[in-house]
Amino acid sequence: MRRFSWFNATSLTLGFAFLYLPMIILVVYSFNDSRLVTVWAGFSTKWYGELVRNEEFLDAAWVTVRVAFFSSCLATVLGTMAAYVLVRAGRFRGRTLFSGMIYAPLVMPEVITGLSLLLLFIGIGLDRGVFTVVLAHTTFAMCYVSVVVSSRLTTFDTALEEAALDLGASQFDSFRLVTLPIIAPAVISGWLLAFTLSLDDLVIASFTTGPGATTLPIKVFSAVRLGVSPEINALSTIMIGIVTVGVIIASLISKRAAVAQARDEQAAPRTT
Amino acid sequence: MRRALLIASPYLWLLALFLVPFAIVLKISLSDIALARPPYMPQWHPGDGLVALGEFLGSLDFENFVFLTQDDLYWKAYLSSLRIALISTALTLLVGYPIAYGMARAAPEWRPTLLMLVILPFWTSFLIRVYSWMGILSTEGVLNQFLTGLGLISEPLQVLNTNTAVYIGIVYTYLPFMILPIYSALEKLDDALLEAAEDLGCNRTEAFWLVTFPLSRTGIVAGCFLVFIPSLGEFVIPSLLGGSDTLMIGKILWEEFFSNRDWPVASAVAVILLLILIVPIVLFQRSEEKAREAAK
């Protein structure tokens, strides 16, 4: 606090203005009456109406949500397993390759991941569509999930699992009854991350999709290539709104959980 | 038995959908383009037998890689991607450091909120964040209207579809990746060190350069790698904000594949991009390991 000067105040104000102004401008212009997005012609919600009537966008949104749901669920299961293997399984043959394959997709350019998966799908003669996009998204999202979950597992007190095993629980029961409830917040944030990454992905989906499986980002990209459009502004506003509400709810829940935990910890010594 | 199954499921998935695809890219980069489906040759199927496999391996060559060195477009695109990624990384550091510093110096009860405000844009769509700049930077966009309104310029500035717009786009979208590691390094800084430096006769600026800055180095290094590595292969930003003369290798690969349908050359472009990226990725992992060991 001592060193919080006018300099810090200015850099924070300018920094957050830079981060948020473009999105605020986007939201404001989505309520513009004019098709010319740069001329303000009064308040209107007509672009939202146009958006709701646009079947192509609705279809693409439905495809995107389905892909995101299936790929994030699969990625959460596989990613949690991978994290458990990385942190708990000890040494096994090919461990270095395994951890390499977990971390590499995080930094791999999307164009390379997309191209290589497409060539695989063609090579084995798999018809491209929703299914192939789900496979592709699961592959990169599981790596993000495993990073999130493994960072929780490394700070986990193994004595709790050992106690369960001593008390006669099987390995699987000790995972189900002890480990899973404790790492659950990390697993849930991993799932959310996987879901968001899938909703957001343009490049990998473009490579691995097929006829009838156009996702929303692909649709948006082909629309904005031609220039700024008020319907896309309206769509962006809806998406920004969903994310903002979601993040606020998530942070309230985690704050409440933290408060409850602090209360439990305080209460514990008194009861003993 | 359960342990084997636990290891095998994610392992086999990644082998089949991460490693094998790369082997295929490598193989196709050594093949020739053909007017067929799929549009490359030679091909070999497991049923063809070993003699055919020998012939197949014999007919692979480095022709596509030779082609990449002969055509100006490709090596210019690699160099230009490297330049754009380096300049943007430096700019992101310049913008991100003061923000991270301000956050670390803010009152402790404010820090979680500030942190959430930095992370929030990361959860909103990347595509939308890039798109939001199109309406600002275009010739009749918000920025030009604002500057003309103030009477600072009489002619609209051409920013959209130039490299400047690409720099702005990269700095904007990757800023959280720079702020977060620097913030976490600065947050751990002990104020007593700065007090000691001042007691020993440093003024505030000297104390910053002699104490704060060196101690935030791990955060700076991590942030720079996290911005540099993905921006090198960036596709969305150059294709929406850049101009026709903005050469970036991610865009070239996309066009080679989708417009020219030259799969072997697209694969060769990908292989070389990967080779270039291996250097910063290995350096990054090494510095992360060093930081982890230092923390122990």
Side-chain angles (χ1 to χ4, degrees), chain B:
Chain B
M1 185 58 218
R2 272 215 175 110
R3 181 170 179 272
L5 196 69
L6 180 70
I7 296 175
S9 338
Y11 207 127
L12 290 178
W13 183 287
L14 285 173
L15 274 183
L17 285 137
F18 184 72
L19 208 61
V20 170
F22 278 114
I24 297 176
V25 170
L26 193 62
K27 190 204 84 178
I28 292 179
S29 74
L30 302 172
S31 313
D32 296 320
I33 187 167
L35 283 174
R37 284 178 72 96
Y40 59 87
M41 60 168 282
Q43 298 191 21
W44 174 79
H45 299 285
D48 296 350
L50 283 178
V51 181
L53 177 66
E55 278 170 23
F56 160 76
L57 288 176
S59 60
L60 294 176
D61 54 45
F62 289 95
E63 213 174 290
N64 297 307
F65 292 93
V66 174
F67 171 68
L68 290 191
T69 58
Q70 282 165 348
D71 195 319
D72 280 2
L73 173 74
Y74 299 99
W75 62 263
K76 274 187 183 152
Y78 284 113
L79 283 182
S80 154
S81 299
L82 278 171
R83 210 188 57 224
I84 291 177
L86 274 174
I87 295 176
S88 325
T89 308
L91 290 173
T92 315
L93 177 62
L94 230 51
V95 176
Y97 198 94
I99 302 176
Y101 186 79
M103 285 168 65
R105 289 274 157 260
E109 64 266 29
W110 274 97
R111 287 182 203 161
T113 314
L114 293 174
L115 204 58
M116 202 184 89
L117 282 174
V118 172
I119 297 170
L120 189 64
F122 175 76
W123 291 90
T124 38
S125 162
F126 185 83
L127 190 56
I128 289 177
R129 281 184 289 149
V130 176
Y131 165 70
S132 70
W133 281 95
M134 291 177 71
I136 296 174
L137 298 177
S138 66
T139 40
E140 64 275 14
V142 179
L143 180 71
N144 274 314
Q145 283 182 2
F146 180 71
L147 292 176
T148 337
L150 286 179
L152 287 174
I153 51 166
S154 49
E155 293 271 303
L157 297 173
Q158 174 68 46
V159 184
L160 190 64
N161 303 122
T162 64
N163 281 358
T164 313
V166 175
Y167 296 138
I168 295 175
I170 297 179
V171 172
Y172 181 67
T173 45
Y174 288 106
L175 194 57
F177 291 111
M178 184 64 86
I179 295 177
L180 294 174
I182 296 179
Y183 167 75
S184 75
L186 284 173
E187 200 205 10
K188 291 190 207 102
L189 191 79
D190 190 349
D191 267 353
L193 292 172
L194 291 174
E195 282 162 22
E198 281 179 23
D199 287 347
L200 292 169
C202 279
N203 62 33
R204 279 194 171 190
T205 323
E206 284 169 345
F208 173 80
W209 287 111
L210 290 172
V211 178
T212 313
F213 192 76
L215 285 174
S216 60
R217 230 199 58 194
T218 49
I220 295 173
V221 170
C224 286
F225 278 121
L226 286 175
V227 175
F228 178 78
I229 295 170
S231 62
L232 194 62
E234 187 52 57
F235 164 74
V236 178
I237 296 173
S239 62
L240 287 184
L241 300 179
S244 51
D245 57 338
T246 305
L247 275 179
M248 282 197 83
I249 207 65
K251 213 173 113 189
I252 300 281
L253 195 159
W254 180 284
E255 278 158 11
E256 224 30 272
F257 190 85
F258 285 108
S259 312
N260 299 350
R261 293 191 57 76
D262 193 335
W263 295 14
V265 166
S267 303
V269 169
V271 170
I272 293 192
L273 175 58
L274 206 59
L275 287 177
I276 295 175
L277 277 172
I278 283 176
V279 179
I281 289 175
V282 168
L283 285 176
F284 177 51
Q285 275 179 342
R286 229 179 249 171
S287 78
E288 285 289 282
E289 259 164 45
K290 231 189 252 169
R292 226 174 292 146
E293 267 163 34
K296 270 179 192 169

Side-chain angles (χ1 to χ4, degrees), chain A residues 180-195:
Chain A
L180 200 55
I182 293 178
I183 63 167
V187 174
I188 292 170
S189 34
W191 183 87
L192 276 173
L193 185 61
F195 192 81

